Amino acid sequence: MSEEQQDITVINAPVYLKYNFTAGRAPSRFLAQIKKGVLTGQRCPKCAAVYAPPRGSCAACGVPTEEEVVLSDKATVQSFTIVSIPIPNNPIQPPFVVANVVADGANISFIHLLSECVNADVHIGQRVQAVWKPQEEWNFAMDNIRYFKPIDEPDVPVDKIGKLPVTGWEG
Ligand SMILES: [Zn+2]
């Protein structure tokens, strides 16, 4: 080994894996509804928690969920983060906001983008609503909702987040 030769400590070796995702029964029902522009969850028969998207069982009670519940596309910010670091191959340029939002009528949050907002003003309890893609682009996918945007409704107190009826928040 010559003295000029340096140790190689890092190489770029991209690895690509192709997955075929089998949604399963409960997510399939959810995805069939979201293709129609309807957000749904499933209610636990034991504790009444509404999961959205449903996984087919209640994680707390360990029982199957079957009852389908139509939810609002209005939601409340339960937590959020401002992403400042670019993610490789992600077309969304930072800074952008990713939030756990709970749809009205559901008890469990899901992750989605927030947009049309001032990032520094995003806060827990903030009311938001889905901004849908044009109907002709709807598919069996959560990204039928482009993002959630703030709406002019009073903030939800922390102890009420995830406990709103499908009819929403009166303030
Ligand atoms: Zn339960």
Side-chain angles (χ1 to χ4, degrees), residues 44 46-49 51 58 60-61 63:
C44 172
K46 202 168 174 187
C47 71
Y51 289 83
C58 175
C61 304
V63 298

Side-chain angles (χ1 to χ4, degrees), residues 115-147:
S115 195
E116 293 188 47
C117 59
V118 177
N119 292 355
D121 292 343
V122 174
H123 54 276
I124 291 170
Q126 188 170 20
R127 296 288 288 154
V128 293
Q129 186 165 19
V131 175
W132 295 79
K133 285 181 176 176
Q135 188 170 354
E136 59 272 17
E137 294 178 27
W138 288 353
N139 207 332
F140 298 102
M142 195 62 176
D143 69 359
N144 291 351
I145 297 174
R146 272 193 212 285
Y147 52 81

Side-chain angles (χ1 to χ4, degrees), residues 62-139:
V63 298
T65 56
E66 286 291 339
E67 183 192 350
E68 199 161 276
V69 181
V70 173
L71 307 172
S72 171
D73 71 352
K74 288 184 176 180
T76 306
V77 174
Q78 185 174 51
S79 65
F80 67 96
T81 189
I82 300 174
V83 179
S84 303
I85 300 169
I87 298 170
N89 300 320
N90 186 336
I92 305 167
Q93 293 303 306
F96 59 91
V97 182
V98 176
N100 280 308
V101 299
V102 191
D104 295 354
N107 304 109
I108 312 297
S109 65
F110 55 83
I111 293 177
H112 217 296
L113 287 170
L114 252 57
S115 195
E116 293 188 47
C117 59
V118 177
N119 292 355
D121 292 343
V122 174
H123 54 276
I124 291 170
Q126 188 170 20
R127 296 288 288 154
V128 293
Q129 186 165 19
V131 175
W132 295 79
K133 285 181 176 176
Q135 188 170 354
E136 59 272 17
E137 294 178 27
W138 288 353
N139 207 332

